[in-house]
Each structure stands twice: as C-alpha cells, then as structure tokens.
Amino acid sequence: MSENTVTSDETVVTSDESAVAAGTAAAGEGLTSKPASEEEVREALYDVVDPELGIDVVNLGLIYGIHIDDANIATIDMTLTSAACPLTDVIEDQAKSATDGLVNELRINWVWMPPWGPDKITDDGREQLRALGFNV
C-alpha cells in the first residue's frame, strides 16, 4: 500500500459472496488458491470504466497501489476524480466483476491523498480523452 495515502473508507467486495454466505468458502470451493500478481489485477482493472468520462480507471491514474496477500485477497488503493463522486458503487461493482475468479476477495481502500489531478492520466488515457473531445 502507498505510504502517502489517507484512508477515508474501505470497501470489501468478495469474488464469490454466495459461496461465503453458503459456507462453502471455508471448504475452499470457488476460491483461487494461487495468489494473483499485481500485474494480473492491474490488467483486469482496465475493464473498470469511469462512468462519467468513459475511460478506464488505470489510464485515468485512479489506481495508487495494489497489494495481494497470501490468501489471494487484493487490496487496491484507489481514488476518484472527485471525493464527491456519486458513482462509487458502480466502480466497485465493475471492479468486483473484473477481478472475479482472479482473486478471492477484493478490498478497495478509498484514498484522497495525494489528490487526483489530470497529471496522473497516462498518455494512453490522454489519447482516449482527446478522441472523446476533451482538451487534455
């Protein structure tokens, strides 16, 4: 996890909530035993698109850090373009879907420091935004 982050909220999203509710997670059913790599999780997050801008969260520079523990639980340090963003649930649902089967559980650690700014957008993200008519 990033040392320069201030946590305001943490969301836990399991990859197989029905298995956990049914008690099958204790038996290991539906859970991935080999931990995913940071790169595999980052690659999956390219499928998580900011609903307002239409660009993935990786190229927008919203992912500050990814940690996967030995139990294959991924914790993502993530920010938003605005702390007042009303679409956190949409992004959380997309992240769950994107990492389903890759990790056993996904935790999103919402961070606000350092604040997000356009300087965090990747070159690919800038190209995508320009294609949508944004001047970046």
Side-chain angles (χ1 to χ4, degrees), residues 98-132:
T99 58
D100 189 31
L102 183 61
V103 296
N104 293 335
E105 185 176 307
L106 176 68
R107 296 177 180 174
I108 299 177
N109 184 34
W110 295 109
V111 295
W112 310 111
M113 295 301 287
W116 179 87
D119 59 306
K120 301 209 181 326
I121 303 172
T122 66
D123 289 340
D124 286 344
R126 290 179 189 285
E127 284 182 36
Q128 293 173 40
L129 286 168
R130 285 186 198 107
L132 292 172

Side-chain angles (χ1 to χ4, degrees), residues 34-113:
K34 179 184 172 225
S37 70
E38 179 181 327
E39 185 55 39
E40 288 173 319
V41 172
R42 185 175 307 278
E43 187 67 31
L45 294 174
Y46 280 102
D47 291 337
V48 179
V49 176
D50 181 289
E52 293 179 316
L53 297 174
I55 306 297
D56 67 86
V57 296
V58 176
N59 279 310
L60 279 174
L62 301 179
I63 307 299
Y64 285 0
I66 299 171
H67 173 75
I68 301 101
D69 68 15
D70 291 338
N72 202 24
I73 296 172
T75 302
I76 300 170
D77 290 334
M78 183 176 182
T79 194
L80 297 169
T81 56
S82 165
C85 178
L87 300 170
T88 56
D89 291 345
V90 173
I91 292 172
E92 288 172 9
D93 289 346
Q94 286 185 44
K96 176 188 182 283
S97 294
T99 58
D100 189 31
L102 183 61
V103 296
N104 293 335
E105 185 176 307
L106 176 68
R107 296 177 180 174
I108 299 177
N109 184 34
W110 295 109
V111 295
W112 310 111
M113 295 301 287

